[in-house]
Amino acid sequence: FFYFKIILGKNGVPVAENFRLEQSTIADTIQAGQVRVRTLYLSVDPYMRCRMNEDTGSDYLLPWQLSEVADGGGIGIVEESKHENLAKGDFVTSFNWPWQTVAILDGSMLQKLVPQLVNGRLSYFLGAAGITGLTALLGVREKGHVAVGANQTMVVSGAAGACGSLAGQIGRLEGCSRVVGIAGTDEKCSILVQEMGFDAAINYKEGNVAEQLRELCPGGVDVYFDNVGGDISDTVISQMNQNSHIILCGQISQYNKDVPYPPPLPPDIEKIRKERNITRERFLVLNYMDKQEASVLQLCQWIQEGKLKVRETMVEGLANVGAAFQSMMNGGNIGKQIVSVSK
């Protein structure tokens, strides 16, 4: 079988060459409680950049080890099972799936999937119906303080990414009256408005973002779903209303820098935040796992009803995981970045 190893971990910009594809053999037999799986899909995500440092900055994230097999969210099919709850042909997922074509795994670490919940689109369980969708939904519900009829305006940065593209739609479904996205290309902005129901979108690489925000959010910003941090977030925060809320989901613009998480705001922006009583609390979806089952069912229902539009950027082949990761970190994806390993 083939597997992917990480060969470099340091501050700086990650590139495909930080990963190496190798070939190895796998045991002929499995032990009690184990299953042999064939990998179908792997997820590459911004948080993985933190795992390339010895100190990930998070107590729940272990660093990838040099010259060891990398891992992350994955989906596969059971080819042989000695676990009482799993049978050959079952589709399964794990947050710690090894980046390899075939694997022998402890059956207790796997979650069985029901393809019908996502209209047969299994890869959605890594995105819209998985940890990404949960992050968007629970972020809006737990930290956004969105209320139907409150005439709230939501702004989403990184809005064409895996989480942002869902968060804006969920903000609307939960009751926001206006949703504005910030993305990095005209194509992304067009998709946000025409496909995903955003009221407007700003290409931050074109024109003055602050001016465009003032024009598109004349009543100010009530909820900010922050995926990027940095200058864009400073610009949004400066236009937020009294008693408004930042959903601190990610800070991708800061991940290649040696700074604490969440990164401190510049003094002038922190002054605005305090004066306007804007909440900016660290949000970790793993703290809300008691709500996981109901939330996933809600996401699946929206997908089935066509209320939640899902975009994926699919790359074929395990050999291209490193390139997919590099592209995703540089904004090359629309929606969730997925690697299709086998059919």
Side-chain angles (χ1 to χ4, degrees):
F1 70 97
F2 290 94
Y3 62 96
F4 238 85
K5 282 185 173 179
I6 183 165
I7 57 173
L8 182 65
K10 63 177 184 178
N11 286 328
V13 179
V15 293
E17 290 72 29
N18 293 150
F19 301 91
R20 182 173 69 224
L21 184 67
E22 295 187 358
Q23 188 170 9
S24 186
T25 56
I26 199 168
D28 292 330
T29 58
I30 60 174
Q31 307 301 313
Q34 291 183 327
V35 295
R36 188 177 76 245
V37 294
R38 176 165 52 87
T39 303
L40 299 176
Y41 300 105
L42 296 173
S43 172
V44 292
D45 303 281
Y47 81 86
M48 293 174 171
R49 176 62 188 89
C50 305
R51 300 189 67 188
M52 298 179 82
N53 293 340
E54 290 181 17
D55 178 7
T56 65
S58 303
D59 51 11
Y60 65 95
L61 278 183
L62 295 174
W64 282 329
Q65 300 299 311
L66 297 184
S67 294
E68 297 293 331
V69 180
D71 68 327
I75 290 172
I77 186 169
V78 175
E79 294 190 323
E80 183 184 359
S81 175
K82 288 189 178 179
H83 188 277
E84 58 183 5
N85 296 328
L86 297 172
K88 182 178 179 179
D90 283 346
F91 295 106
V92 290
T93 187
S94 170
F95 193 62
N96 301 109
W97 196 283
W99 286 7
Q100 53 194 63
T101 53
V102 180
I104 293 174
L105 303 176
D106 181 346
S108 63
M109 69 172 267
L110 300 172
Q111 180 182 353
K112 189 153 52 171
L113 299 174
V114 182
Q116 293 87 339
L117 288 175
V118 288
N119 302 325
R121 298 292 294 271
L122 272 172
S123 55
Y124 283 11
F125 284 114
L126 292 177
I131 200 80
T132 311
L134 283 172
T135 301
L137 177 58
L138 292 170
V140 171
R141 286 185 171 174
E142 301 296 328
K143 299 293 185 182
H145 302 272
V146 173
V148 175
N151 197 31
Q152 291 162 299
T153 294
M154 172 189 274
V155 171
V156 183
S157 58
C163 199
S165 60
L166 300 172
Q169 296 180 76
I170 290 169
R172 166 82 79 216
L173 289 165
E174 290 289 287
C176 284
S177 60
R178 186 163 183 78
V179 179
V180 175
I182 302 174
T185 69
D186 289 341
E187 180 193 10
K188 290 179 178 180
C189 290
S190 176
I191 287 169
L192 290 174
V193 174
Q194 295 180 12
E195 280 188 26
M196 298 182 172
F198 283 60
D199 292 283
I202 296 169
N203 180 349
Y204 70 86
K205 296 179 181 176
E206 301 284 341
N208 186 303
V209 174
E211 287 179 3
Q212 293 178 78
L213 261 182
R214 274 191 291 274
E215 182 181 328
L216 295 171
C217 307
V221 178
D222 302 294
V223 185
Y224 173 40
F225 200 100
D226 186 5
N227 286 304
V228 303
D231 293 343
I232 288 174
S233 289
D234 297 345
T235 301
V236 177
I237 293 169
S238 69
Q239 297 190 32
M240 293 185 74
N241 293 324
Q242 196 74 25
N243 302 320
S244 55
H245 304 282
I246 299 168
I247 303 166
L248 195 58
C249 178
Q251 302 280 277
I252 193 170
S253 73
Q254 308 297 301
Y255 286 168
N256 294 329
K257 304 173 185 177
D258 188 10
V259 294
Y261 187 88
L265 296 170
D268 57 328
I269 302 299
E270 178 63 14
K271 184 170 182 281
I272 289 172
R273 190 196 68 77
K274 287 182 176 177
E275 287 175 348
R276 297 181 192 170
N277 191 35
I278 301 169
T279 62
R280 183 182 185 254
E281 302 161 345
R282 185 169 185 168
F283 170 71
L284 179 59
V285 70
L286 299 177
N287 291 339
Y288 300 93
M289 284 298 99
D290 58 319
K291 301 182 180 181
Q292 175 183 3
E293 188 173 348
S295 299
V296 168
L297 288 175
Q298 174 66 84
L299 291 162
C300 290
Q301 181 182 337
W302 281 336
I303 291 169
Q304 289 173 344
E305 294 172 350
K307 292 179 179 176
L308 195 60
K309 302 288 193 292
V310 183
R311 270 275 188 156
E312 294 179 316
T313 298
M314 189 77 72
V315 170
E316 302 285 338
L318 184 67
N320 293 314
V321 171
F325 179 72
Q326 179 180 347
S327 174
M328 178 271 306
M329 288 297 293
N330 291 328
N333 57 301
I334 296 175
K336 182 74 174 180
Q337 179 73 64
I338 300 283
V339 178
S340 174
V341 177
S342 65
K343 300 293 186 184

